[in-house]
């Protein structure tokens, strides 16, 4: 345990690392608060959960669609030029919602379209900072990112819900915006660690990598992970309500979230060896094995223990998806690549929530857990597909890639000028 913690402390002592990671983490708490904050505010204003759901849905769709476009602008013009503009626009969109100057749905869409994906921007900085001989620390860096996201989505919704329950729903939205804008502006001010920009021709050639199987496989895994999350959210609630103990849902979520943090922390602290592709396939297979019993288990203790096991595998998959995304595209389109993964996950969550609701209505919570298990099976198939036909690893660089190559293989080797994922 002390040795593991020392690995994270050593990482944050890397020159410039803490200066961008901490404000990004603060901003992500605000991001985690935004969606549920909109639900509280719109419901308080209209008295309708249907209206609140419609506005939140518009927010989520706009966020998923606009995220990669903002990432593309960042890759072209740099974080210091694009992020402040997006933050100012986001603050203006939140003001429109708070004042009611435009219809709530319009304001929700504008908030989603201007919400910066700080996790993608932070991951791109880690990739630039830990280049060459320091690339072996990338798994720990991406584990730290996963931990920050996990803590954000534990603390953020709880905080905004407390404000809403206290009769101050507008305060939750305002606090979320303050954290996003304040953390984002502080992050953007750290110019020393910004990823370097590339030329127009290089970006044009590099963009072809976004159509290659190595990257598309990771986007598919992100989509399947989103389906898993969305199905689990609906199914756990349905299970608890179906047993007449709705309060148990919070305990079941807590068990899964706690092991989620532990799994991410432990993987980041582990001294990694072997192929990340094999690690990803193994983690996906473990998630499948842990998910299948949920389709027939009834006892709350057994269900809770099984959910805790799934929580151990999920952060490992998130970390490895980031690693393999980072290795599969040139640096010229890296931010855009990360945001595509986030958008795929968001789309999976939204679609799965609707589909799983119908499945649960027809077959109960076990049917919903079956949707989650099916998503885990799909992840395993995608990860195993990445192992087929893998070839000896080649250096990653920002140079144009041949569009006919089926994948970008990985290697543990590093050099000062060309770097591969560890």
């Amino acid at each position: 345990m002390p040795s593991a913690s020392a690995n994270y402390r050593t990482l944050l002592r890397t020159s410039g690392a803490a200066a961008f990671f901490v404000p990004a983490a603060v901003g992500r708490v605000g991001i985690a608060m935004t969606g549920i904050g909109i639900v509280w505010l719109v419901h308080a204003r209209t008295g309708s959960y249907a209206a609140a759901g419609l506005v939140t849905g518009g927010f989520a769709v706009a966020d998923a669609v606009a995220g990669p476009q903002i990432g593309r602008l960042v890759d072209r013009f740099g974080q210091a030029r694009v992020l402040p503009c997006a933050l100012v626009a986001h603050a203006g969109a939140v003001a429109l919602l708070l004042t009611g100057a435009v219809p709530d749905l319009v304001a929700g869409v504008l908030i989603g379209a201007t919400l910066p994906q700080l996790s993608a921007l932070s991951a791109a900085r880690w990739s630039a900072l830990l280049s060459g001989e320091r690339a072996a620390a990338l798994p720990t860096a991406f584990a730290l990112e996963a931990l920050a996201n996990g803590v954000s989505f534990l603390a953020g919704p709880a905080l905004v819900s407390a404000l809403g329950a206290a009769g101050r729903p507008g305060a939750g939205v305002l606090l979320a915006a303050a954290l996003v804008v304040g953390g984002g502006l502080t992050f953007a001010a750290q110019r020393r660690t910004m990823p370097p920009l590339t030329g127009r021709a290089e970006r044009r050639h590099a963009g072809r990598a976004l159509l290659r199987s190595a990257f598309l496989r990771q986007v598919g895994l992100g989509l399947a992970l989103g389906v898993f999350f969305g199905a689990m959210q609906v199914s756990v609630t349905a299970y608890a309500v179906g047993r007449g103990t709705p309060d148990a849902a919070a305990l079941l979520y807590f068990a899964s979230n706690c092991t989620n943090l532990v799994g991410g922390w432990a993987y980041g602290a582990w001294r990694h060896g072997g192929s990340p592709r094999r690690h990803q396939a193994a983690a996906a297979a473990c998630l499948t094995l842990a998910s299948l019993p949920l389709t027939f288990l009834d006892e709350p203790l057994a269900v809770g223990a099984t959910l805790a096991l799934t929580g151990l595998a999920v952060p490992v998959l998130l970390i490895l998806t980031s690693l393999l995304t980072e290795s599969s595209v040139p640096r010229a389109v890296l931010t855009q690549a990360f945001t595509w993964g986030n958008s795929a996950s968001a789309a999976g969550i939204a679609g799965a929530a609707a589909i799983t609701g119908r499945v649960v209505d027809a077959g109960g919570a076990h049917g919903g857990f079956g949707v989650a298990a099916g998503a885990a099976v799909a992840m395993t198939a995608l990860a195993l597909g990445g192992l087929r036909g893998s070839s000896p690893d080649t250096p990653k660089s920002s140079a144009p890639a041949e569009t006919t190559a089926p994948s970008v293989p990985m290697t543990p080797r590093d050099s000062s000028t060309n770097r591969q994922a560890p």
Side-chain angles (χ1 to χ4, degrees), residues 320-345:
L320 289 165
T321 299
S322 295
L323 270 175
L324 290 166
T325 296
E326 192 272 347
S327 74
S328 65
V329 300
R331 196 177 303 284
V333 292
L334 185 57
T335 306
Q336 188 181 170
F338 281 134
T339 54
W340 273 117
N342 292 343
S343 293
S345 181

Side-chain angles (χ1 to χ4, degrees), residues 4 25 73 78 82 96 119 141 165 171 177 202 211 233 252 263 284 291-292 315 338 341 406:
L73 292 175
V82 175
L96 291 175
S119 59
E202 193 173 356
L211 300 176
Q233 288 172 0
L252 294 174
S291 302
L292 288 173
F338 281 134

Side-chain angles (χ1 to χ4, degrees), residues 213-320:
S213 61
F215 171 68
L216 293 176
R217 186 176 296 112
Q218 301 311 312
V219 173
L221 274 157
L223 178 65
L225 268 170
V227 172
F228 181 86
F229 292 146
M232 279 294 188
Q233 288 172 0
V234 175
S235 301
V236 169
T237 301
Y239 169 79
V241 172
R243 291 187 61 85
T245 55
D247 291 343
L251 294 175
L252 294 174
Y253 285 128
F254 182 76
S256 178
N257 287 335
C258 283
T259 55
N260 191 301
L261 294 176
V262 170
W265 175 85
Y267 187 81
W270 173 46
R271 294 185 179 275
H272 304 82
S275 166
R277 290 179 176 179
R278 291 190 176 90
H279 294 171
Q280 188 179 63
C286 289
L287 183 63
T288 298
L289 292 175
S291 302
L292 288 173
L294 292 171
T295 61
F296 57 83
L297 289 175
D298 283 317
E299 291 301 318
L301 186 60
V303 170
T306 305
L307 287 172
L309 288 177
T310 66
L312 289 173
V314 165
V316 178
L317 282 168
L318 289 171
I319 294 164
L320 289 165

Side-chain angles (χ1 to χ4, degrees), residues 48 55 74 87 114 135 204 206 212 215 218 229 233 336 372 393 397:
S48 168
V55 175
V74 168
L87 291 169
T114 56
R204 184 170 60 250
R212 298 174 68 183
F215 171 68
Q218 301 311 312
F229 292 146
Q233 288 172 0
Q336 188 181 170
D393 301 332
S397 70

Side-chain angles (χ1 to χ4, degrees), residues 63-79 81-83 86 113 115-117 120-121 124 196-208 210-211 215 330-341 343:
D63 182 27
V65 172
Q69 312 315 316
I70 295 177
R72 185 178 183 180
L73 292 175
V74 168
D75 285 329
R76 180 175 180 180
F77 298 108
Q79 295 183 359
R81 294 176 66 183
V82 175
L83 183 55
L115 188 68
Q117 297 199 17
L121 302 181
L197 295 179
T198 56
R200 179 183 300 178
E202 193 173 356
R203 287 194 306 272
R204 184 170 60 250
H205 287 291
R208 299 173 184 174
L210 298 177
L211 300 176
F215 171 68
R331 196 177 303 284
V333 292
L334 185 57
T335 306
Q336 188 181 170
F338 281 134
T339 54
W340 273 117
S343 293

